[in-house]
Amino acid sequence: MTNYQLGLDFAKKQDQNDQLAGFRSQFHIPKDHQGNDLIYMTGNSLGLQPKISKAYVNQELDDWAKLGVEGHTEAKNPWLHYHEYLTETMANIVGAKPIEVVVMNSLTVNLHLMMVSFYKPTSKRYKILIEADAFPSDKYAMESQLRHHGFDQKDGLVLWKSRAHEVLANYDDLETILKEQGDTIALIMIGGVNYYTGQFFDLKRITELGRQHGCLVGFDCAHGAGNVQLNLHESGADFAVWCTYKYLNSGPGSLSGAFVHERHAHKKDLNRFTGWWSHNKETRFRMRDEFDQLPGAEGWQLSNPPILSMAAIRASLDVFEEAGFDNLCKKSKALTGYFEFLIQDLNNPDINIITPSHPDERGCQLSIQVKNADKSLHQKLMDAGVITDWREPDVIRCAPIPLYNSFEDVYKLVARLKTILN
């Protein structure tokens, strides 16, 4: 969609014609002191709560109260296999096969577990390549892995930097790095969608480049899962991890997802940390058998699943399934394109959108750089009923989420930003 128009009437008409508009009513929208809906544009940090989440969690609380330990087998949704209820829908969202996906642990924990298996340094090939402005937790994790294996973190961490006076990472520069240092790089670990700029990287292209130089490849898809079509299986990546509390609306600090490509599914000799939940399900409770590795991503599990958190994830995934992820991605592009159109119409020389303009190179996040601004601008927006996300030194991140944001939300956000800037 490119035939955007100015004026509130256009936004209202788009909402009237939006087949997904009804899903907004399935979410709790934060309100101001007068009871008016706030304009919530921070689903890229914490997604809103689906109204059915409480019922899903309460079901498990009720079964726990009534059944105690027997809930593992006798609950309405037996806890013993609860993580399996999430697998198929989650696999569809990230573009994977069910055998390649599991929900477990938290994001950085899963990242470390993946590196136990896929970061295999030698005296010659030991470096890790990441984008220079990676999410801090990823950078810290990479540095600690280097130290753990006895390497210097400054020497061992290769940064894919943007060019001078540019913000976005350039693939030509990545190719140059790999040509010059590829034989020393053990692992490429990139954020699938950069948290700061919103740049959606070409996962398949990066994976193919890495494989040409003998590197293993993984992605942190925290800002991609539930936002863009990741197509993880097709990308050929060795592994990926993501959280579920941003675009996947599972609640603060909720569990992470992990992807391991099916070519690794039956490699029982692949180094990994293990626990009883990665043991053969048929013999797990005999308790004294020798370890028998589960195939696929499930084989990276350690412990039995935290049911209450998984219940909230299940609620959100059921909403995604009802809406259809392809439909959501289509609306996302229309909503974000409209947002970009309105920002550009401000014709303000102090404003620069640092997120890629091509719809296939971004999700629903726009990172708006405001010259000479500080966090007081963010506070003024908050005071005006707009919840956005500030990132130092001068960027407001806004994410119009297709499940619960409207075209009118976008219109009002830009109108209030214009008033504040003027």
Side-chain angles (χ1 to χ4, degrees):
M1 181 180 180
T2 55
N3 54 336
Y4 300 112
Q5 299 173 22
L6 300 174
L8 181 57
D9 288 344
F10 175 81
K12 289 184 174 180
K13 185 176 181 180
Q14 298 311 302
D15 289 331
Q16 290 168 1
N17 295 332
D18 176 18
Q19 295 180 342
L20 298 175
F23 283 92
R24 179 182 175 92
S25 66
Q26 296 190 29
F27 287 82
H28 292 288
I29 309 294
K31 300 183 183 301
D32 63 19
H33 295 305
Q34 288 74 45
N36 302 307
D37 286 355
L38 293 170
I39 299 173
Y40 190 85
M41 290 283 176
T42 47
N44 55 327
S45 286
L46 181 66
L48 292 182
Q49 182 188 136
K51 291 179 179 177
I52 60 172
S53 297
K54 182 176 289 187
Y56 278 54
V57 173
N58 280 343
Q59 176 66 56
E60 307 315 324
L61 289 172
D62 290 344
D63 283 344
W64 177 23
K66 290 184 294 186
L67 299 168
V69 71
E70 296 303 310
H72 284 89
T73 55
E74 302 302 322
K76 180 180 178 181
N77 310 300
W79 305 331
L80 195 62
H81 310 293
Y82 203 99
H83 73 275
E84 297 173 16
Y85 306 148
L86 315 178
T87 302
E88 187 170 345
T89 304
M90 187 68 81
N92 288 338
I93 288 173
V94 299
K97 297 182 178 183
I99 195 173
E100 297 175 318
V101 169
V102 68
V103 175
M104 61 181 188
N105 308 314
S106 56
L107 175 58
T108 308
V109 170
N110 281 345
L111 182 54
H112 279 296
L113 290 176
M114 292 297 110
M115 286 192 287
V116 169
S117 299
F118 298 107
Y119 176 52
K120 299 183 286 188
T122 66
S123 58
K124 180 184 178 183
R125 186 186 286 272
Y126 61 91
K127 295 181 180 179
I128 303 174
L129 187 154
I130 64 171
E131 79 268 34
D133 200 14
F135 193 77
S137 191
D138 289 353
K139 182 173 180 286
Y140 304 154
M142 301 302 115
E143 289 171 342
S144 70
Q145 285 284 334
L146 285 162
R147 292 194 302 269
H148 173 71
H149 287 281
F151 298 104
D152 180 84
Q153 67 186 47
K154 291 184 179 179
D155 171 63
L157 204 62
V158 180
L159 302 180
W160 177 20
K161 299 178 181 179
S162 59
R163 298 178 177 182
H165 310 298
E166 295 183 10
V167 179
L168 304 177
N170 186 297
Y171 293 100
D172 290 341
D173 297 338
L174 177 62
E175 290 186 26
T176 298
I177 290 171
L178 288 168
K179 285 177 183 176
E180 294 176 350
Q181 302 186 58
D183 61 350
T184 68
I185 294 172
L187 176 66
I188 298 173
M189 221 306 295
I190 303 292
V193 175
N194 183 267
Y195 84 101
Y196 184 71
T197 65
Q199 182 178 9
F200 177 24
F201 293 110
D202 188 333
L203 309 190
K204 187 173 183 179
R205 180 176 180 179
I206 292 171
T207 302
E208 289 175 349
L209 278 172
R211 291 174 72 84
Q212 287 172 17
H213 293 272
C215 310
L216 294 173
V217 182
F219 295 100
D220 176 357
C221 297
H223 291 83
N227 177 22
V228 293
Q229 298 277 16
L230 292 167
N231 298 320
L232 289 178
H233 174 80
E234 184 184 340
S235 79
D238 293 288
F239 71 89
V241 293
W242 59 93
C243 59
T244 63
Y245 52 79
K246 300 180 188 294
Y247 295 99
L248 293 171
N249 314 311
S250 64
S254 192
L255 293 166
S256 168
F259 160 89
V260 179
H261 198 280
E262 70 171 343
R263 66 176 172 272
H264 302 297
H266 300 281
K267 292 181 179 177
K268 291 192 175 185
D269 60 343
L270 192 61
N271 187 50
R272 70 184 91 194
F273 288 160
T274 55
W276 74 322
W277 231 250
S278 51
H279 181 91
N280 185 336
K281 298 173 188 178
E282 303 301 320
T283 59
R284 180 183 290 156
F285 289 95
R286 291 180 188 170
M287 310 300 272
R288 291 172 180 81
D289 288 3
E290 291 299 314
F291 183 70
D292 185 5
Q293 185 75 57
L294 276 174
E298 285 186 314
W300 271 263
Q301 294 174 109
L302 300 179
S303 304
N304 54 323
I307 302 303
L308 301 182
S309 183
M310 285 195 168
I313 298 173
R314 190 180 184 192
S316 180
L317 291 181
D318 282 356
V319 177
F320 269 86
E321 192 166 36
E322 183 185 354
F325 193 53
D326 288 345
N327 298 330
L328 290 169
C329 289
K330 183 179 179 181
K331 178 182 174 181
S332 175
K333 289 183 177 181
L335 205 57
T336 308
Y338 176 58
F339 188 15
E340 181 182 40
F341 166 77
L342 293 180
I343 291 291
Q344 290 174 341
D345 182 70
L346 294 177
N347 197 27
N348 188 320
D350 291 337
I351 286 183
N352 177 36
I353 298 173
I354 63 173
T355 306
S357 60
H358 196 292
D360 293 337
E361 297 175 6
R362 68 184 182 199
C364 67
Q365 172 185 321
L366 286 187
S367 295
I368 303 168
Q369 190 174 46
V370 186
K371 187 178 180 181
N372 299 322
D374 57 30
K375 200 172 182 180
S376 64
L377 174 61
H378 168 70
Q379 186 58 51
K380 288 174 182 176
L381 276 170
M382 295 282 283
D383 294 341
V386 180
I387 302 179
T388 60
D389 180 64
W390 179 260
R391 283 291 179 262
E392 296 292 348
D394 55 5
V395 166
I396 302 169
R397 299 190 309 167
C398 306
I401 307 295
L403 269 173
Y404 50 75
N405 282 127
S406 64
F407 285 84
E408 187 171 348
D409 280 344
V410 171
Y411 175 86
K412 288 180 176 178
L413 185 161
V414 177
R416 294 177 193 184
L417 175 63
K418 180 179 180 180
T419 299
I420 291 168
L421 291 173
N422 289 340

